Amino acid sequence: MGEDRTGQIAVLFVSKRTAEDDAGYAEAATAMDVLAAQQPGYCGVESQRVDAGVGITISYWADDASAVAWRDHPEHAAIRAKGRERWYDWYEVIVTRVERGYRWRRA
């Protein structure tokens, strides 16, 4: 929990899910988590979704080249196309460099 992410690339994926194919979506999301973790430069992921179907996933990468390589990975691109077709009403991707960060946790 105490990892310093300063200098990492954060890719924010904000989305609104459709009500379609929850099982297929869950399977694809799990597969993409596993695949992303195997990529060079992968530094972690955090994800949340609320009942209204809006969610945010933040993936962290060592550098921009690693984030771009993930974006362009053929399996990721194929799942992204399926998502546009079936699983999302809309999404937005924001890419930024982490300048500083803080964490707090109740002990």
mmCIF file of all heavy atoms in Angstrom, residues 9-12 64 67 93-97:
data_model
loop_
_atom_site.group_PDB
_atom_site.id
_atom_site.type_symbol
_atom_site.label_atom_id
_atom_site.label_comp_id
_atom_site.label_asym_id
_atom_site.label_seq_id
_atom_site.Cartn_x
_atom_site.Cartn_y
_atom_site.Cartn_z
ATOM 1 N N ILE A 9 3.146 6.524 -15.255
ATOM 2 C CA ILE A 9 2.049 6.949 -16.124
ATOM 3 C C ILE A 9 0.775 6.326 -15.569
ATOM 4 O O ILE A 9 0.723 5.117 -15.321
ATOM 5 C CB ILE A 9 2.272 6.491 -17.579
ATOM 6 C CG1 ILE A 9 3.558 7.102 -18.147
ATOM 7 C CG2 ILE A 9 1.064 6.826 -18.448
ATOM 8 C CD1 ILE A 9 3.576 8.621 -18.180
ATOM 9 N N ALA A 10 -0.245 7.149 -15.363
ATOM 10 C CA ALA A 10 -1.552 6.662 -14.900
ATOM 11 C C ALA A 10 -2.523 6.765 -16.069
ATOM 12 O O ALA A 10 -2.669 7.829 -16.673
ATOM 13 C CB ALA A 10 -2.049 7.490 -13.722
ATOM 14 N N VAL A 11 -3.145 5.651 -16.413
ATOM 15 C CA VAL A 11 -4.159 5.622 -17.459
ATOM 16 C C VAL A 11 -5.502 5.453 -16.768
ATOM 17 O O VAL A 11 -5.772 4.417 -16.170
ATOM 18 C CB VAL A 11 -3.904 4.481 -18.467
ATOM 19 C CG1 VAL A 11 -4.999 4.453 -19.521
ATOM 20 C CG2 VAL A 11 -2.520 4.626 -19.111
ATOM 21 N N LEU A 12 -6.324 6.504 -16.833
ATOM 22 C CA LEU A 12 -7.640 6.500 -16.204
ATOM 23 C C LEU A 12 -8.669 6.118 -17.252
ATOM 24 O O LEU A 12 -8.764 6.767 -18.299
ATOM 25 C CB LEU A 12 -7.973 7.880 -15.645
ATOM 26 C CG LEU A 12 -7.127 8.362 -14.472
ATOM 27 C CD1 LEU A 12 -5.770 8.846 -14.923
ATOM 28 C CD2 LEU A 12 -7.858 9.468 -13.758
ATOM 29 N N ASP A 64 5.678 6.013 -20.574
ATOM 30 C CA ASP A 64 4.685 6.172 -21.635
ATOM 31 C C ASP A 64 4.754 5.042 -22.660
ATOM 32 O O ASP A 64 3.718 4.572 -23.136
ATOM 33 C CB ASP A 64 4.860 7.527 -22.323
ATOM 34 C CG ASP A 64 3.652 7.901 -23.161
ATOM 35 O OD1 ASP A 64 2.524 7.845 -22.626
ATOM 36 O OD2 ASP A 64 3.841 8.234 -24.352
ATOM 37 N N ALA A 67 2.751 2.127 -21.459
ATOM 38 C CA ALA A 67 1.307 2.385 -21.540
ATOM 39 C C ALA A 67 0.816 2.283 -22.979
ATOM 40 O O ALA A 67 -0.241 1.700 -23.250
ATOM 41 C CB ALA A 67 0.981 3.763 -20.956
ATOM 42 N N VAL A 93 -10.749 7.898 -21.821
ATOM 43 C CA VAL A 93 -9.415 7.519 -21.370
ATOM 44 C C VAL A 93 -8.612 8.804 -21.161
ATOM 45 O O VAL A 93 -8.572 9.662 -22.054
ATOM 46 C CB VAL A 93 -8.710 6.609 -22.399
ATOM 47 C CG1 VAL A 93 -7.293 6.275 -21.943
ATOM 48 C CG2 VAL A 93 -9.511 5.339 -22.631
ATOM 49 N N ILE A 94 -7.994 8.906 -20.003
ATOM 50 C CA ILE A 94 -7.157 10.048 -19.673
ATOM 51 C C ILE A 94 -5.795 9.492 -19.293
ATOM 52 O O ILE A 94 -5.700 8.586 -18.450
ATOM 53 C CB ILE A 94 -7.747 10.851 -18.502
ATOM 54 C CG1 ILE A 94 -9.159 11.321 -18.849
ATOM 55 C CG2 ILE A 94 -6.839 12.019 -18.122
ATOM 56 C CD1 ILE A 94 -10.006 11.665 -17.659
ATOM 57 N N VAL A 95 -4.741 10.019 -19.900
ATOM 58 C CA VAL A 95 -3.388 9.551 -19.614
ATOM 59 C C VAL A 95 -2.609 10.716 -19.005
ATOM 60 O O VAL A 95 -2.593 11.817 -19.564
ATOM 61 C CB VAL A 95 -2.690 9.054 -20.900
ATOM 62 C CG1 VAL A 95 -1.282 8.557 -20.596
ATOM 63 C CG2 VAL A 95 -3.529 7.964 -21.574
ATOM 64 N N THR A 96 -1.969 10.446 -17.873
ATOM 65 C CA THR A 96 -1.241 11.506 -17.180
ATOM 66 C C THR A 96 -0.023 10.932 -16.466
ATOM 67 O O THR A 96 0.032 9.734 -16.185
ATOM 68 C CB THR A 96 -2.182 12.224 -16.174
ATOM 69 O OG1 THR A 96 -1.509 13.355 -15.637
ATOM 70 C CG2 THR A 96 -2.635 11.294 -15.080
ATOM 71 N N ARG A 97 0.923 11.790 -16.180
ATOM 72 C CA ARG A 97 2.096 11.387 -15.397
ATOM 73 C C ARG A 97 1.844 11.758 -13.934
ATOM 74 O O ARG A 97 1.381 12.855 -13.641
ATOM 75 C CB ARG A 97 3.356 12.098 -15.900
ATOM 76 C CG ARG A 97 4.633 11.670 -15.179
ATOM 77 C CD ARG A 97 5.879 12.288 -15.785
ATOM 78 N NE ARG A 97 5.927 12.157 -17.226
ATOM 79 C CZ ARG A 97 6.277 11.060 -17.908
ATOM 80 N NH1 ARG A 97 6.636 9.974 -17.253
ATOM 81 N NH2 ARG A 97 6.292 11.036 -19.218
#
